[in-house]
Amino acid sequence: MSTIKDVARLANVSVATVSRVMNNSPKASAASREVVRKAMAELGYTPNANARALVNQTCDTMGVMVNDVADPFFGTLVRGVSAVAVEQGMHLLMGNGFHKARQEREAIELLIGKRCEALVVHSKALSDQELMDYAAQVPGMVLINRDIPELAGRCIALNNRLGTATAVRHLLDLGHRQIAFLCSDHAIEDATLRRDGWYSALHEAGLTPSEEWIEWGAPSEAGGEQAMLNLLAKGLPVSAIVTYNDAMAAGALSVLADNGLRVPEDVSVVGFDDLVYARYLRPKLTTLRYPIELMAAQAARLALQLASGVPTVDVGSRLYTPTLVVRQSSSARKS
């Protein structure tokens, strides 16, 4: 008995294209309709109701995997993918990976098992090779916030190193020299790259960065609080602080206020991400804008293109640039 894959193979088109023709989708071109119907007639293929339902599931569902959708950053990422799904009249399935290899693996395999041909994956725990293996199974899989050279053209990422370097240069321009860094304690490349950006910007300015000026914590408000408390306990002459993300910055602002330190009069603070609440903190937070919703939408559109077999222009990995948003939490260093 012939299958939809046999029809796709004979017509030399993707399974997604066959499904569009079978469901009279306006996205199916006249040429596609002709070759698919010819192949169906030649094979004597007539989909029954159950098979048609399966086709609908394959055609009309896309998937996204993130660390934790409860995190505002990843909620914004999902919103970007969801907007494209709604625009295309598709359903969206989501999985949480929690930056743990087993859970990321299970989430991806669940989405594949649900026949999501278009996948947007934010993975930090799986190796490059394992993600390459999944990508070989799913032509419509796109990685976000990950850059694997072997998957060039299917990766959309941010220049994390440039982000913290930009934050440090902003503070250097304001006259600061004692610039600390509150970094995420998660063992992911983002933390390493942002720390490297802090280090390189100080080094370029002729300063000697010391690990003593770095404190680690969970990338959350509570983690920022703990890291800030540890930094203050060292008694260093800190005049400015760069944080791994806005959540850690919010925790740091709370601790500074509790200890009678004014921002930015006594200590300047710069965050990273530009989440919605950055503009509602007091003082309003100077931060680096991470265009995650824009990136997620592009990842979703690219995944759909790849899944449908539509040719794409190979421009390699898409590397976005974070931009500085100056608000009230940073100012010139007092002499």
Side-chain angles (χ1 to χ4, degrees):
M1 182 180 293
S2 299
T3 68
I4 188 173
K5 290 185 178 179
D6 296 325
V7 175
R9 190 178 301 111
L10 181 60
N12 196 29
V13 297
S14 68
V15 171
T17 298
V18 175
S19 71
R20 289 193 182 94
V21 173
M22 289 168 53
N23 289 283
N24 294 315
S25 169
K27 297 177 185 176
S29 67
S32 295
R33 293 176 192 276
E34 182 179 350
V35 296
V36 168
R37 286 170 180 162
K38 182 178 178 181
M40 290 172 66
E42 186 174 333
L43 292 170
Y45 177 78
T46 304
N48 59 30
N50 289 335
R52 192 177 293 277
L54 185 60
V55 168
N56 283 337
Q57 183 185 40
T58 303
C59 178
D60 295 337
T61 306
M62 67 185 304
V64 58
M65 189 204 78
V66 298
N67 170 33
D68 182 1
V69 72
D71 183 308
F73 175 84
F74 292 104
T76 303
L77 189 162
V78 171
R79 186 168 65 229
V81 177
S82 178
V84 174
V86 170
E87 173 187 293
Q88 299 298 317
M90 302 181 72
H91 302 293
L92 182 67
L93 294 182
M94 189 207 69
N96 289 323
F98 300 110
H99 286 169
K100 297 183 184 299
R102 180 181 62 80
Q103 288 167 282
E104 288 190 356
R105 194 175 297 119
E106 289 176 354
I108 293 173
E109 291 177 358
L110 174 65
L111 294 171
I112 293 174
K114 293 296 184 181
R115 307 183 72 81
C116 297
E117 291 189 339
L119 286 177
V120 176
V121 172
H122 184 287
S123 171
K124 291 298 178 182
L126 298 182
S127 68
D128 286 1
Q129 185 58 57
E130 192 161 2
L131 290 170
M132 289 162 59
D133 292 341
Y134 281 126
Q137 294 179 47
V138 186
M141 176 174 149
V142 172
L143 298 177
I144 189 165
N145 200 18
R146 184 79 175 255
D147 188 10
I148 299 177
E150 291 82 358
L151 294 177
R154 296 172 67 177
C155 297
I156 293 177
L158 185 80
N159 193 332
N160 281 287
R161 183 183 287 107
L162 176 62
T164 44
T166 299
V168 171
R169 290 172 188 141
H170 166 66
L171 293 168
L172 289 168
D173 289 343
L174 292 172
H176 295 279
R177 293 296 179 269
Q178 292 82 29
I179 304 171
F181 182 43
L182 304 187
C183 190
S184 168
D185 61 4
H186 286 194
I188 61 175
E189 63 179 348
D190 299 49
T192 301
L193 291 171
R194 293 183 192 184
R195 176 204 169 279
D196 289 349
W198 169 84
Y199 183 93
S200 63
L202 290 174
H203 185 74
E204 289 167 6
L207 302 173
T208 305
S210 168
E211 289 292 323
E212 188 179 19
W213 290 76
I214 301 178
E215 275 300 327
W216 308 83
S220 63
E221 292 84 356
E225 283 185 331
Q226 189 58 57
M228 190 69 244
L229 285 168
N230 292 343
L231 183 65
L232 290 179
K234 293 179 180 179
L236 299 172
V238 176
S239 71
I241 299 164
V242 173
T243 65
Y244 173 80
N245 62 10
D246 291 348
M248 294 189 79
L253 289 174
S254 176
V255 169
L256 289 168
D258 290 346
N259 284 271
L261 292 169
R262 300 167 301 163
V263 177
E265 293 85 354
D266 300 319
V267 182
S268 287
V269 176
V270 180
F272 199 120
D273 286 342
D274 195 27
L275 296 179
V276 64
Y277 62 71
R279 70 198 69 169
Y280 299 112
L281 292 170
R282 289 295 179 268
K284 296 181 180 182
L285 185 65
T286 295
T287 186
L288 274 299
R289 178 167 293 154
Y290 191 144
I292 189 59
E293 189 167 355
L294 176 67
M295 292 166 62
Q298 183 182 4
R301 291 191 181 95
L302 178 59
L304 288 171
Q305 280 185 290
L306 293 170
S308 64
V310 175
T312 60
V313 178
D314 186 2
V315 295
S317 299
R318 280 82 163 168
L319 189 63
Y320 279 72
T321 300
T323 52
L324 182 68
V325 180
V326 179
R327 295 195 178 100
Q328 300 167 348
S329 66
S330 60
S331 67
R333 179 181 181 275
K334 289 187 175 181
S335 45

